[in-house]
Amino acid sequence: MHTSDMLEAEGVSLVNRGLALWSQGLREEAVTVMRQGIAVCRQLAVAEPAKINHLALALSNLGGMLVDWGRPAEAIPVLEHSIKITRIYSDKSHEFTADLAGALKNLGSALKECGSQQEAIVVLTESVATYRRLVGQGRPQYEVPLARALNSLGNARGLVAEARDDFDAAIALLRREDLAESALQLAATLASQCGILMHLKCHERAVANSEEAVAIFRRLGDTNPAGVEPYLAHALPTMAEALVAVGRLDEAHTAATEAIGIVRRRSTANPDGWRQHLIRALRLLGDLLPTLNRHAEAAAVAEELARLVAEDHHDDKALHQPAPEKPKGFFLSRFKRRR
C-alpha cells in the first residue's frame, strides 16, 4: 500500500475511534485519540497535500470536543485552523462546503462560551446560511446539521425573540427525522429553547419542552447511559427551573437533586469542566429548599456553593448568572460525519 494510503487509513481509523469513544462518554480518552488522529493527518497532508481536508475535519472534531469538555478557549485556534483549510476546498463539492459550515458551527459555539457573543453570531449566521443553501439545492441530508447550527445560533443570540424563532425552525426540522442522532439533537434543542421561553413568560411551554427533552434523553440513555447522561445532567436543571416557575416545587426538587447526583459522578475525572454545572444545580437547589422549609439542607448547599465559587476563575459570573443550557457536541467527519 502507498504511504499516503496507509496514513489515510490510519488517520480515518483514529478519528472514528475518537468519535466512538466520545459517544460512549469517554471524553478524555476520545480527546487523546483524536489528537493522535490529527498527528497522522498532518503527516498525510505533508505527504499528499490534496488530502489536507482530512486534517481540517479532524481539527474541527477536536475543537467541538474541547468546547463540550469546558475548554472553549483552547478550541478556538484549533477551529480557526480548520476553517482556514476548509475555505480553500469549500467550492470543490457540497461535502467540502458542509465541512466548512460544520467547522463554523463549532467555532461559533466556542466563541459564545468565551463571551464573544457578537463574533459568535456572525460565525453561526454564516454556518446557518451555508447549510440552508445546501438544503435549498435539494440535499436533505444537511437538514439535521442545519438544525444544530440554528440551535447554536439561538443560544448565541441570548434572550431575544429571534432566538425563539431559531429554535422553532430547528425543532421543526428535527421532528421530520426518525434517527437516534436527530432525537438527541431534538432533545437538546427543546431544552435550549427553555431559556428564551422563560424570559418571554411562556412557562407552560417551557415545562412541556423540558419534560419532552428529559423523556427523550432517558429513552436514549437506556441503550447508552454513559453517552447520554451528560446531556441529561444539563436538561434536568432546566426542567427544574421551569417547574419552579409554575409552582411544581417538589418535582423541581427531585429534578435538581438528580442533576446534582449525575454531575458529582461525572465530575470525578474532570472537576474543572463540570464545576459550572454543579454550581448551577446547587444554586437552583439552594433557592428552592427554603421554600420547602428545608433550611438545614439549604445551609449545607450554600456552604458548598460558596466553596465552589471560590474555586472558580469567574466568581461573580458563576454565583449570579445561570449557566446557559446548550446542545452538546455533534462533530463532523467524512469518516463518521457529525455536524
Side-chain angles (χ1 to χ4, degrees):
M1 183 181 290
H2 191 273
T3 300
S4 66
D5 292 335
M6 294 175 62
L7 288 170
E8 184 174 4
E10 184 181 359
V12 167
S13 176
L14 286 166
V15 170
N16 277 340
R17 186 179 167 215
L19 292 169
L21 288 167
W22 188 269
S23 70
Q24 296 164 19
L26 302 172
R27 299 196 162 189
E28 185 170 6
E29 295 93 327
V31 168
T32 298
V33 171
M34 190 62 68
R35 290 190 189 279
Q36 293 169 356
I38 287 171
V40 174
C41 289
R42 287 191 194 280
Q43 296 177 53
L44 173 63
V46 172
E48 192 167 344
K51 294 185 177 181
I52 195 174
N53 58 294
H54 288 308
L55 173 60
L57 286 163
L59 287 166
S60 187
N61 280 318
L62 175 61
M65 287 178 174
L66 291 171
V67 174
D68 289 359
W69 210 21
R71 295 155 65 176
E74 187 178 344
I76 289 175
V78 173
L79 292 165
E80 288 176 337
H81 188 189
S82 175
I83 289 168
K84 183 178 180 179
I85 298 170
T86 52
R87 286 200 188 280
I88 298 171
Y89 289 87
S90 62
D91 62 348
K92 303 297 183 185
S93 74
H94 66 88
E95 286 195 338
F96 289 139
T97 302
D99 292 342
L100 173 61
L104 287 165
K105 181 267 176 194
N106 285 341
L107 177 60
S109 297
L111 289 167
K112 184 258 182 184
E113 290 303 300
C114 288
S116 301
Q117 181 183 19
Q118 292 307 312
E119 292 178 70
I121 290 172
V122 169
V123 170
L124 290 166
T125 298
E126 182 182 356
S127 176
V128 166
T130 304
Y131 278 133
R132 276 187 167 143
R133 186 165 63 251
L134 290 168
V135 172
Q137 292 169 355
R139 296 188 171 93
Q141 67 266 38
Y142 297 116
E143 288 185 349
V144 173
L146 169 59
R148 293 179 189 137
L150 283 164
N151 189 356
S152 295
L153 179 58
N155 277 312
R157 288 193 198 277
L159 300 179
V160 297
E162 290 89 343
R164 178 190 56 193
D165 297 339
D166 291 330
F167 292 128
D168 281 340
I171 290 167
L173 286 167
L174 292 164
R175 288 199 187 282
R176 298 210 298 257
E177 302 290 332
D178 189 25
L179 301 169
E181 188 178 8
S182 59
L184 187 68
Q185 181 62 41
L186 173 61
T189 306
L190 287 164
S192 293
Q193 193 183 36
C194 289
I196 182 61
L197 292 175
M198 295 282 286
H199 180 72
L200 296 174
K201 308 301 182 185
C202 301
H203 297 142
E204 293 293 346
R205 186 178 172 192
V207 170
N209 265 30
S210 60
E211 288 182 328
E212 183 180 1
V214 167
I216 293 171
F217 286 138
R218 291 195 194 283
R219 172 170 56 82
L220 296 174
D222 287 341
T223 56
N224 183 17
V228 176
E229 198 174 53
Y231 299 83
L232 186 60
H234 299 303
L236 284 166
T238 298
M239 184 170 76
E241 290 166 355
L243 289 168
V244 168
V246 297
R248 294 163 58 180
L249 302 186
D250 288 331
E251 293 170 82
H253 175 266
T254 299
T257 301
E258 183 181 358
I260 290 169
I262 294 172
V263 172
R264 289 197 196 283
R265 290 196 302 274
R266 301 297 304 192
S267 64
T268 301
N270 180 27
D272 291 340
W274 282 94
R275 185 179 294 116
Q276 284 291 317
H277 304 296
L278 183 56
I279 286 172
R280 177 194 181 199
L282 285 170
R283 183 176 54 246
L284 174 63
L285 186 62
D287 290 342
L288 182 59
L289 287 169
T291 66
L292 297 172
N293 294 318
R294 300 170 73 158
H295 299 288
E297 294 174 62
V301 167
E303 183 177 348
E304 181 179 4
L305 181 59
R307 178 180 58 79
L308 288 169
V309 169
E311 294 173 359
D312 196 81
H313 295 302
H314 305 288
D315 296 357
D316 292 337
K317 179 179 178 181
L319 183 59
H320 299 297
Q321 297 181 7
E325 181 63 31
K326 57 189 179 184
K328 311 304 287 180
F330 305 106
F331 308 116
L332 58 99
S333 170
R334 196 166 347 269
F335 323 120
K336 182 179 178 185
R337 186 176 296 273
R338 294 183 71 191
R339 291 192 180 82

